[in-house]
Amino acid sequence: MDLPYDFVLVYLDDVIIIGSSFEKLVKRLEVVLARLRAANLKLNYGKCELLKRKVYFLGHDVSGAGVGVQPEKVDAVMRK
């Protein structure tokens, strides 16, 4: 709550923290972890991935270059 979409993306049990530099990412990670702790929520550390340059989120590629559709999704539509 109160965090902008260029800071963190949340969908159900997925949380993506966005930062343009390592320092900014670490600060934002601290904020998000503090919010989770305050809400008494816990992370499954076995599912956590840190410092990824590109992630797949809701059928999209999310990276520093922006948001794009996953090629597999386009291929699936083109075959139909």
Side-chain angles (χ1 to χ4, degrees):
M1 193 169 167
D2 298 340
L3 298 176
Y5 289 110
D6 63 344
F7 190 112
V8 63
L9 300 172
V10 178
Y11 181 76
L12 298 177
D13 63 346
D14 290 325
V15 179
I16 297 177
I17 303 166
I18 302 163
S20 58
S21 69
F22 178 77
E23 293 78 16
K24 190 176 282 190
L25 186 62
V26 169
K27 287 179 184 177
R28 290 177 175 186
L29 179 61
E30 289 173 346
V31 170
V32 171
L33 291 176
R35 295 278 183 104
L36 291 171
R37 188 178 307 117
N40 201 30
L41 296 172
K42 297 181 182 176
L43 298 174
N44 180 341
Y45 291 107
K47 291 184 175 182
C48 292
E49 297 181 20
L50 299 175
L51 306 174
K52 304 274 292 189
R53 293 194 179 272
K54 184 177 190 178
V55 296
Y56 301 110
F57 185 65
L58 301 176
H60 294 82
D61 292 332
V62 181
S63 70
V67 178
V69 180
Q70 286 178 290
E72 305 85 45
K73 305 295 183 192
V74 174
D75 290 342
V77 171
M78 297 300 288
R79 283 185 290 215
K80 288 189 175 192

